[in-house]
Amino acid sequence: MIHANDIWKKFGRHDAVQGLSFSVPEGSAFALIGANGAGKTTTIKVLMNILEPSRGRATVLGVDSRKISPKELSQIGYVSENQDLPARLTVEEYLDYLRPFYSRWDRALEASIRRQLRLPPDRKIGDLSHGMRIKMALACALPFRPKLLILDEPFSGLDPLVRDEFMEGLLDQAGDMTILISSHELGEIDGVATHVAFLDEGKLLFEESMSGLIARFREVHLTLERVTPVPDRLPKGWLQVRAMGNVLTFVDSRFAEDGLGERIQSLFAGVLRIDAQPMGLRSIFTALARAARDGAI
């Protein structure tokens, strides 16, 4: 659905995006994650031809991103935290305005989404709260049943209830749609995303399926017979290694059930217990962000 090959974007002397290459499988929910300023929004703007890449190439729906036409745009829904909507129009007036542009606009689906998101038809968009404007943007992006839905930081500034309503409205209508979502609000995409790419300061640190990512990360606690210092040389993939008395903790980013015990036994004597626990996306992101900051990855 989307393929990026060595994308670069410079603003003056600053490289906002540096050599990004990734692919978004059709039918997936692909999450671009990273801290604010990591390059997520710039990447999306390049894909949507809002910005031209300084170098590299991307295709969207099989078309060069620099040649996206109204035909492709009619198959792409877009929701952004900073999306411009006409403040002087009411909810109903703006939806009336949009319908003729989309031959596949589904009036019944529109009505269902409006009811689910509880959008007041007679209220001016300029009088809507931030959360209601985000829901309004979603109500504009879904009724024409896009093949691709772009969500750029949709959760910023939303209270938990509005976030839940937004996600319920989205998931109920997702169907076979491909979703590209950028976010630093990891709790909202955990359990939704099928694939994930992690950006840090414009660079892609990794891209993989969510199941693969969760499978290879573990938080490990070692209980030793005696106080033992952290060895100078550690296996690749061990992050945030800390010693507290006779307990050693670390994040194993290359976890393998069969090999962990052997690696530990080769480094430490008197191992009493090995406890390896799965990690949530937020904990994985934090470990990777700290490792990137410290130059460990």
mmCIF file of all heavy atoms in Angstrom, residues 33-35 38 198-206 217 238-240 253 283-297:
data_model
loop_
_atom_site.group_PDB
_atom_site.id
_atom_site.type_symbol
_atom_site.label_atom_id
_atom_site.label_comp_id
_atom_site.label_asym_id
_atom_site.label_seq_id
_atom_site.Cartn_x
_atom_site.Cartn_y
_atom_site.Cartn_z
ATOM 1 N N ILE A 33 5.929 5.341 15.341
ATOM 2 C CA ILE A 33 6.020 5.824 16.709
ATOM 3 C C ILE A 33 7.356 6.520 16.918
ATOM 4 O O ILE A 33 8.337 6.269 16.234
ATOM 5 C CB ILE A 33 5.849 4.684 17.735
ATOM 6 C CG1 ILE A 33 6.973 3.646 17.614
ATOM 7 C CG2 ILE A 33 4.496 4.015 17.586
ATOM 8 C CD1 ILE A 33 6.952 2.593 18.713
ATOM 9 N N GLY A 34 7.358 7.426 17.885
ATOM 10 C CA GLY A 34 8.564 8.177 18.200
ATOM 11 C C GLY A 34 8.194 9.411 18.991
ATOM 12 O O GLY A 34 7.029 9.833 19.014
ATOM 13 N N ALA A 35 9.171 10.003 19.636
ATOM 14 C CA ALA A 35 8.931 11.202 20.428
ATOM 15 C C ALA A 35 8.566 12.369 19.516
ATOM 16 O O ALA A 35 8.742 12.313 18.290
ATOM 17 C CB ALA A 35 10.183 11.534 21.241
ATOM 18 N N ALA A 38 10.461 13.547 16.106
ATOM 19 C CA ALA A 38 11.192 12.401 15.539
ATOM 20 C C ALA A 38 11.131 12.355 14.020
ATOM 21 O O ALA A 38 11.931 11.668 13.396
ATOM 22 C CB ALA A 38 10.648 11.097 16.116
ATOM 23 N N PHE A 198 9.792 2.515 14.370
ATOM 24 C CA PHE A 198 10.225 3.419 15.430
ATOM 25 C C PHE A 198 11.196 4.444 14.857
ATOM 26 O O PHE A 198 12.255 4.086 14.326
ATOM 27 C CB PHE A 198 10.888 2.613 16.555
ATOM 28 C CG PHE A 198 11.438 3.452 17.677
ATOM 29 C CD1 PHE A 198 10.664 4.432 18.266
ATOM 30 C CD2 PHE A 198 12.730 3.255 18.135
ATOM 31 C CE1 PHE A 198 11.158 5.204 19.298
ATOM 32 C CE2 PHE A 198 13.238 4.021 19.174
ATOM 33 C CZ PHE A 198 12.450 5.010 19.756
ATOM 34 N N LEU A 199 10.822 5.728 14.936
ATOM 35 C CA LEU A 199 11.660 6.819 14.454
ATOM 36 C C LEU A 199 12.319 7.523 15.629
ATOM 37 O O LEU A 199 11.679 7.750 16.666
ATOM 38 C CB LEU A 199 10.837 7.844 13.667
ATOM 39 C CG LEU A 199 10.122 7.381 12.398
ATOM 40 C CD1 LEU A 199 9.446 8.567 11.725
ATOM 41 C CD2 LEU A 199 11.081 6.712 11.448
ATOM 42 N N ASP A 200 13.578 7.911 15.438
ATOM 43 C CA ASP A 200 14.286 8.699 16.440
ATOM 44 C C ASP A 200 15.170 9.703 15.716
ATOM 45 O O ASP A 200 16.056 9.312 14.954
ATOM 46 C CB ASP A 200 15.132 7.796 17.344
ATOM 47 C CG ASP A 200 15.842 8.579 18.434
ATOM 48 O OD1 ASP A 200 15.156 9.120 19.320
ATOM 49 O OD2 ASP A 200 17.089 8.651 18.390
ATOM 50 N N GLU A 201 14.877 10.988 15.939
ATOM 51 C CA GLU A 201 15.635 12.077 15.312
ATOM 52 C C GLU A 201 15.773 11.880 13.808
ATOM 53 O O GLU A 201 16.851 12.052 13.230
ATOM 54 C CB GLU A 201 17.011 12.226 15.973
ATOM 55 C CG GLU A 201 16.915 12.631 17.449
ATOM 56 C CD GLU A 201 18.271 12.877 18.076
ATOM 57 O OE1 GLU A 201 19.297 12.525 17.451
ATOM 58 O OE2 GLU A 201 18.309 13.437 19.192
ATOM 59 N N GLY A 202 14.657 11.517 13.175
ATOM 60 C CA GLY A 202 14.615 11.391 11.725
ATOM 61 C C GLY A 202 15.118 10.092 11.161
ATOM 62 O O GLY A 202 15.073 9.877 9.941
ATOM 63 N N LYS A 203 15.597 9.188 12.019
ATOM 64 C CA LYS A 203 16.129 7.912 11.548
ATOM 65 C C LYS A 203 15.211 6.767 11.949
ATOM 66 O O LYS A 203 14.622 6.789 13.030
ATOM 67 C CB LYS A 203 17.525 7.665 12.131
ATOM 68 C CG LYS A 203 18.557 8.700 11.714
ATOM 69 C CD LYS A 203 19.893 8.431 12.382
ATOM 70 C CE LYS A 203 20.937 9.483 12.005
ATOM 71 N NZ LYS A 203 22.226 9.251 12.698
ATOM 72 N N LEU A 204 15.107 5.786 11.071
ATOM 73 C CA LEU A 204 14.315 4.591 11.357
ATOM 74 C C LEU A 204 15.187 3.589 12.100
ATOM 75 O O LEU A 204 16.188 3.104 11.567
ATOM 76 C CB LEU A 204 13.801 3.973 10.050
ATOM 77 C CG LEU A 204 12.921 2.742 10.183
ATOM 78 C CD1 LEU A 204 11.589 3.093 10.816
ATOM 79 C CD2 LEU A 204 12.704 2.094 8.819
ATOM 80 N N LEU A 205 14.812 3.293 13.347
ATOM 81 C CA LEU A 205 15.589 2.350 14.135
ATOM 82 C C LEU A 205 15.182 0.908 13.855
ATOM 83 O O LEU A 205 16.010 0.006 13.902
ATOM 84 C CB LEU A 205 15.461 2.652 15.627
ATOM 85 C CG LEU A 205 16.003 4.007 16.085
ATOM 86 C CD1 LEU A 205 15.995 4.092 17.601
ATOM 87 C CD2 LEU A 205 17.414 4.240 15.558
ATOM 88 N N PHE A 206 13.895 0.679 13.617
ATOM 89 C CA PHE A 206 13.467 -0.663 13.227
ATOM 90 C C PHE A 206 12.065 -0.594 12.651
ATOM 91 O O PHE A 206 11.333 0.375 12.836
ATOM 92 C CB PHE A 206 13.499 -1.644 14.401
ATOM 93 C CG PHE A 206 12.454 -1.374 15.458
ATOM 94 C CD1 PHE A 206 11.154 -1.816 15.318
ATOM 95 C CD2 PHE A 206 12.786 -0.665 16.600
ATOM 96 C CE1 PHE A 206 10.197 -1.562 16.276
ATOM 97 C CE2 PHE A 206 11.844 -0.409 17.567
ATOM 98 C CZ PHE A 206 10.543 -0.855 17.403
ATOM 99 N N PHE A 217 11.177 -8.981 22.940
ATOM 100 C CA PHE A 217 11.525 -8.148 24.089
ATOM 101 C C PHE A 217 11.074 -8.815 25.386
ATOM 102 O O PHE A 217 9.930 -9.275 25.493
ATOM 103 C CB PHE A 217 10.874 -6.764 23.987
ATOM 104 C CG PHE A 217 11.712 -5.754 23.273
ATOM 105 C CD1 PHE A 217 11.731 -5.694 21.891
ATOM 106 C CD2 PHE A 217 12.516 -4.869 23.974
ATOM 107 C CE1 PHE A 217 12.511 -4.774 21.220
ATOM 108 C CE2 PHE A 217 13.303 -3.946 23.329
ATOM 109 C CZ PHE A 217 13.307 -3.893 21.941
ATOM 110 N N TRP A 238 21.213 -6.481 25.057
ATOM 111 C CA TRP A 238 20.879 -6.244 26.463
ATOM 112 C C TRP A 238 20.892 -4.743 26.714
ATOM 113 O O TRP A 238 21.920 -4.081 26.526
ATOM 114 C CB TRP A 238 21.876 -6.937 27.381
ATOM 115 C CG TRP A 238 21.687 -8.426 27.479
ATOM 116 C CD1 TRP A 238 21.014 -9.240 26.616
ATOM 117 C CD2 TRP A 238 22.199 -9.273 28.513
ATOM 118 N NE1 TRP A 238 21.075 -10.545 27.037
ATOM 119 C CE2 TRP A 238 21.800 -10.605 28.203
ATOM 120 C CE3 TRP A 238 22.955 -9.057 29.657
ATOM 121 C CZ2 TRP A 238 22.126 -11.695 28.995
ATOM 122 C CZ3 TRP A 238 23.293 -10.145 30.450
ATOM 123 C CH2 TRP A 238 22.873 -11.446 30.121
ATOM 124 N N LEU A 239 19.769 -4.209 27.140
ATOM 125 C CA LEU A 239 19.616 -2.772 27.356
ATOM 126 C C LEU A 239 19.295 -2.504 28.826
ATOM 127 O O LEU A 239 18.748 -3.352 29.520
ATOM 128 C CB LEU A 239 18.485 -2.218 26.486
ATOM 129 C CG LEU A 239 18.500 -2.572 24.990
ATOM 130 C CD1 LEU A 239 17.239 -2.048 24.311
ATOM 131 C CD2 LEU A 239 19.743 -2.034 24.312
ATOM 132 N N GLN A 240 19.646 -1.304 29.283
ATOM 133 C CA GLN A 240 19.308 -0.844 30.635
ATOM 134 C C GLN A 240 19.736 -1.854 31.710
ATOM 135 O O GLN A 240 18.944 -2.238 32.574
ATOM 136 C CB GLN A 240 17.806 -0.567 30.753
ATOM 137 C CG GLN A 240 17.307 0.542 29.859
ATOM 138 C CD GLN A 240 15.810 0.780 29.998
ATOM 139 O OE1 GLN A 240 15.100 0.975 29.022
ATOM 140 N NE2 GLN A 240 15.306 0.757 31.214
ATOM 141 N N SER A 253 16.483 -7.373 24.149
ATOM 142 C CA SER A 253 15.798 -7.031 22.895
ATOM 143 C C SER A 253 15.988 -8.091 21.813
ATOM 144 O O SER A 253 15.529 -7.910 20.688
ATOM 145 C CB SER A 253 16.303 -5.679 22.376
ATOM 146 O OG SER A 253 17.678 -5.747 22.033
ATOM 147 N N SER A 283 6.649 0.251 27.463
ATOM 148 C CA SER A 283 7.930 -0.100 28.088
ATOM 149 C C SER A 283 9.006 -0.367 27.047
ATOM 150 O O SER A 283 10.170 0.019 27.226
ATOM 151 C CB SER A 283 7.752 -1.328 28.993
ATOM 152 O OG SER A 283 6.866 -1.066 30.043
ATOM 153 N N ILE A 284 8.621 -1.002 25.936
ATOM 154 C CA ILE A 284 9.576 -1.251 24.860
ATOM 155 C C ILE A 284 10.049 0.066 24.260
ATOM 156 O O ILE A 284 11.248 0.288 24.041
ATOM 157 C CB ILE A 284 8.946 -2.152 23.777
ATOM 158 C CG1 ILE A 284 8.694 -3.558 24.333
ATOM 159 C CG2 ILE A 284 9.843 -2.215 22.541
ATOM 160 C CD1 ILE A 284 7.914 -4.450 23.392
ATOM 161 N N PHE A 285 9.101 0.952 24.004
ATOM 162 C CA PHE A 285 9.440 2.261 23.434
ATOM 163 C C PHE A 285 10.390 3.023 24.355
ATOM 164 O O PHE A 285 11.386 3.612 23.907
ATOM 165 C CB PHE A 285 8.166 3.072 23.212
ATOM 166 C CG PHE A 285 8.415 4.513 22.852
ATOM 167 C CD1 PHE A 285 8.761 4.869 21.562
ATOM 168 C CD2 PHE A 285 8.315 5.510 23.800
ATOM 169 C CE1 PHE A 285 8.996 6.197 21.225
ATOM 170 C CE2 PHE A 285 8.550 6.836 23.484
ATOM 171 C CZ PHE A 285 8.884 7.177 22.193
ATOM 172 N N THR A 286 10.111 3.021 25.663
ATOM 173 C CA THR A 286 10.965 3.731 26.616
ATOM 174 C C THR A 286 12.379 3.164 26.611
ATOM 175 O O THR A 286 13.375 3.892 26.601
ATOM 176 C CB THR A 286 10.370 3.644 28.028
ATOM 177 O OG1 THR A 286 9.070 4.234 28.030
ATOM 178 C CG2 THR A 286 11.242 4.373 29.035
ATOM 179 N N ALA A 287 12.484 1.830 26.591
ATOM 180 C CA ALA A 287 13.808 1.199 26.575
ATOM 181 C C ALA A 287 14.571 1.557 25.302
ATOM 182 O O ALA A 287 15.780 1.854 25.354
ATOM 183 C CB ALA A 287 13.645 -0.320 26.699
ATOM 184 N N LEU A 288 13.887 1.553 24.184
ATOM 185 C CA LEU A 288 14.551 1.879 22.910
ATOM 186 C C LEU A 288 14.939 3.351 22.849
ATOM 187 O O LEU A 288 16.027 3.694 22.356
ATOM 188 C CB LEU A 288 13.635 1.522 21.741
ATOM 189 C CG LEU A 288 13.477 0.029 21.460
ATOM 190 C CD1 LEU A 288 12.352 -0.205 20.465
ATOM 191 C CD2 LEU A 288 14.775 -0.552 20.929
ATOM 192 N N ALA A 289 14.055 4.226 23.336
ATOM 193 C CA ALA A 289 14.360 5.658 23.316
ATOM 194 C C ALA A 289 15.584 5.966 24.171
ATOM 195 O O ALA A 289 16.461 6.759 23.779
ATOM 196 C CB ALA A 289 13.149 6.454 23.795
ATOM 197 N N ARG A 290 15.670 5.354 25.344
ATOM 198 C CA ARG A 290 16.838 5.569 26.203
ATOM 199 C C ARG A 290 18.100 5.002 25.575
ATOM 200 O O ARG A 290 19.181 5.619 25.649
ATOM 201 C CB ARG A 290 16.579 4.928 27.568
ATOM 202 C CG ARG A 290 15.552 5.679 28.408
ATOM 203 C CD ARG A 290 15.264 4.949 29.702
ATOM 204 N NE ARG A 290 14.343 5.720 30.538
ATOM 205 C CZ ARG A 290 13.751 5.232 31.628
ATOM 206 N NH1 ARG A 290 13.978 3.984 32.007
ATOM 207 N NH2 ARG A 290 12.928 5.992 32.329
ATOM 208 N N ALA A 291 17.970 3.837 24.953
ATOM 209 C CA ALA A 291 19.141 3.240 24.305
ATOM 210 C C ALA A 291 19.622 4.085 23.134
ATOM 211 O O ALA A 291 20.832 4.257 22.932
ATOM 212 C CB ALA A 291 18.805 1.818 23.839
ATOM 213 N N ALA A 292 18.675 4.655 22.367
ATOM 214 C CA ALA A 292 19.052 5.532 21.254
ATOM 215 C C ALA A 292 19.727 6.790 21.774
ATOM 216 O O ALA A 292 20.725 7.253 21.212
ATOM 217 C CB ALA A 292 17.808 5.867 20.443
ATOM 218 N N ARG A 293 19.208 7.346 22.847
ATOM 219 C CA ARG A 293 19.795 8.549 23.446
ATOM 220 C C ARG A 293 21.216 8.293 23.918
ATOM 221 O O ARG A 293 22.106 9.122 23.782
ATOM 222 C CB ARG A 293 18.918 9.015 24.602
ATOM 223 C CG ARG A 293 19.420 10.268 25.319
ATOM 224 C CD ARG A 293 18.669 10.446 26.619
ATOM 225 N NE ARG A 293 18.892 9.308 27.518
ATOM 226 C CZ ARG A 293 18.172 9.077 28.613
ATOM 227 N NH1 ARG A 293 17.178 9.861 28.926
ATOM 228 N NH2 ARG A 293 18.444 8.029 29.373
ATOM 229 N N ASP A 294 21.436 7.089 24.471
ATOM 230 C CA ASP A 294 22.752 6.736 25.011
ATOM 231 C C ASP A 294 23.694 6.152 23.962
ATOM 232 O O ASP A 294 24.827 5.779 24.279
ATOM 233 C CB ASP A 294 22.595 5.726 26.159
ATOM 234 C CG ASP A 294 21.805 6.301 27.328
ATOM 235 O OD1 ASP A 294 21.757 7.547 27.473
ATOM 236 O OD2 ASP A 294 21.241 5.505 28.122
ATOM 237 N N GLY A 295 23.209 6.037 22.712
ATOM 238 C CA GLY A 295 24.052 5.477 21.652
ATOM 239 C C GLY A 295 24.226 3.991 21.726
ATOM 240 O O GLY A 295 25.160 3.434 21.115
ATOM 241 N N ALA A 296 23.310 3.304 22.419
ATOM 242 C CA ALA A 296 23.441 1.854 22.578
ATOM 243 C C ALA A 296 22.858 1.088 21.398
ATOM 244 O O ALA A 296 23.087 -0.114 21.256
ATOM 245 C CB ALA A 296 22.757 1.403 23.873
ATOM 246 N N ILE A 297 22.077 1.784 20.566
ATOM 247 C CA ILE A 297 21.533 1.130 19.359
ATOM 248 C C ILE A 297 21.702 2.059 18.164
ATOM 249 O O ILE A 297 21.925 3.235 18.320
ATOM 250 C CB ILE A 297 20.051 0.753 19.536
ATOM 251 C CG1 ILE A 297 19.204 1.990 19.906
ATOM 252 C CG2 ILE A 297 19.876 -0.317 20.555
ATOM 253 C CD1 ILE A 297 17.721 1.699 19.935
#
